[in-house]
């Protein structure tokens, strides 16, 4: 069984139980803690499994030394939009670390998170960033270089569903921005996006499922991927895959938040705050970079930035400098923020629903 398959087997969507990163199943709803021990639940999205397994160990070691408190962190992972819905519908989470602000907004609208939550932590509560790249098979047999190659008749695409996956929404918006920059009118962009999705051979519910479809099940010619997912794939399967960085992509800003109603009921607000605060520490920023997320700390970001001008990555750089900076990145502000982007593109009956015809 491959590493990715083993990672996938750890999913839980129950509102009562989640998989502890230590490998122990624990009751997430229990509120009876000794003064020197506390349990919190972090509901996150698909590709952060490895990151939070590593981060939780760093944080719990720090917290034990600094405050004498043992913190047991329970994790839950899945498509970001689906995870947000689960929390809104009762999955107990002290904190959420989701793929985008729009998914956290859905929990806020359910009354579980206060309205101004993005002000709770630096950089609009986004401790690390990412971007969207392409993963292709070794030697790039379809010669895929940019977004316009994904609308060719001979290219089969793998990407998750924007209705359930936060990463898929970033994928869609990155493609939209490329065609917009190419000078297409909105109607032409819609047709380009329609063609792209007509080339999609499998629309998984989450980013990790799409990685499995492409890497393990050998479906498609190209995976539209989170940057970290693509790097994990070439690390796990050396010589079998390559990363192609398109000329235009998007600055992805995963968002973290305290679930106010839950922490106030469970008495875990302080440790939940400390847990998210520590994501901005130097130690945590380097953990994030190790698992191929872009640190928000500019000094640490430079430690991992590549001087290469190539947009093709065939192996993990030996010097650890994996971050490609020579790509033009748009951001969610270009689309009027997540509220406007969701209303126009992803809400029921919005553009994506009119573009994608289920096969």
């Amino acid at each position: 069984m491959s590493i990715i398959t083993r990672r996938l087997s750890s999913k839980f969507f129950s509102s009562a139980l989640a998989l502890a990163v230590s490998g122990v199943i624990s009751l997430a709803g229990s509120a009876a803690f000794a003064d020197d021990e506390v349990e919190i639940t972090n509901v996150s999205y698909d590709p952060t499994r490895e990151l939070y397994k590593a981060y939780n160990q760093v944080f719990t070691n720090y917290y034990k030394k600094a405050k004498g408190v043992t913190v047991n962190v329970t994790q839950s992972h899945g498509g970001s939009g689906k995870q947000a819905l689960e929390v809104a519908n009762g999955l107990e989470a002290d904190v959420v670390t989701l793929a985008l602000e729009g998914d956290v907004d859905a929990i806020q609208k359910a009354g579980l998170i206060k309205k101004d939550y993005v002000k709770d932590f630096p950089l609009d509560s986004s401790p690390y960033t990412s971007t969207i790249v392409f993963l292709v098979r070794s030697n790039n047999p379809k010669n895929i270089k940019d977004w316009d190659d994904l609308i060719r008749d001979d290219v089969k695409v793998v990407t998750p569903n924007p209705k359930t996956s936060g990463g898929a929404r970033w994928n869609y918006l990155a493609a939209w921005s490329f065609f917009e920059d190419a000078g297409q009118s909105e109607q032409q962009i819609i047709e380009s996006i329609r063609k792209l999705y007509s080339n999609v051979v499998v629309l998984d519910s989450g980013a990790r499922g799409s990685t499995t479809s492409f890497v393990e099940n050998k479906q498609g010619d190209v995976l539209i991927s989170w940057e970290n997912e693509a790097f994990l794939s070439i690390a796990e399967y050396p010589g079998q895959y390559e990363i192609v960085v398109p000329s235009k992509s998007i600055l992805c800003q995963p968002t973290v938040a305290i679930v106010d109603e839950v922490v106030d009921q469970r008495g875990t607000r302080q440790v939940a705050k400390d847990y998210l605060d520590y994501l901005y520490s130097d130690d945590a920023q380097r953990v994030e970079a190790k698992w191929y997320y872009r640190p928000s700390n500019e000094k640490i970001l430079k430690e991992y930035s590549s001087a290469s001008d190539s947009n093709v990555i065939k192996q993990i750089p030996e010097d650890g400098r994996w971050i490609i900076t020579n790509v033009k990145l748009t951001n969610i502000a270009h689309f009027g923020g997540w509220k406007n982007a969701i209303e126009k593109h992803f809400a029921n009956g919005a553009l994506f629903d009119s573009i994608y015809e289920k096969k």
Side-chain angles (χ1 to χ4, degrees), residues 87 93-96 107 112-113 257-264 269:
V87 174
D94 299 86
V95 300
V96 289
I107 304 170
L112 302 178
I113 296 175
I258 294 170
V259 184
D260 295 287
E261 183 163 304
V262 172
V263 298
D264 287 342
R269 177 174 289 277

Side-chain angles (χ1 to χ4, degrees), residues 5-64:
T5 299
R6 291 197 298 271
R7 292 194 295 246
L8 275 168
S9 67
S10 68
K11 283 187 179 179
F12 278 83
F13 295 106
S14 165
S15 62
L17 294 177
L19 184 64
V21 294
S22 63
V24 179
I25 301 299
S26 60
L27 188 61
S30 174
F33 304 116
D35 289 341
D36 60 351
E37 187 170 354
V38 63
E39 181 177 333
I40 61 171
T41 298
N42 174 12
V43 173
S44 196
Y45 63 105
D46 260 337
T48 60
R49 300 167 190 272
E50 296 75 22
L51 167 61
Y52 279 106
K53 183 175 182 180
Y55 171 71
N56 290 344
Q57 187 62 60
V58 170
F59 173 76
T60 54
N61 289 344
Y62 152 76
Y63 214 70
K64 181 68 173 178

Side-chain angles (χ1 to χ4, degrees), residues 44 58 63 68 78 103 119 134 137 201 223 226 236 238 248 263 266 288 296 314:
S44 196
V58 170
Y63 214 70
D103 288 335
K119 299 178 181 178
F134 305 150
R137 306 193 191 284
V201 292
L223 171 69
W226 284 101
E236 184 174 350
K248 178 73 180 288
V263 298
R266 302 181 69 233
E288 291 149 20
S296 60
K314 296 187 176 184

Side-chain angles (χ1 to χ4, degrees), residues 85 146 272 319 334:
L85 183 61
D146 223 327
D319 62 3
H334 177 75

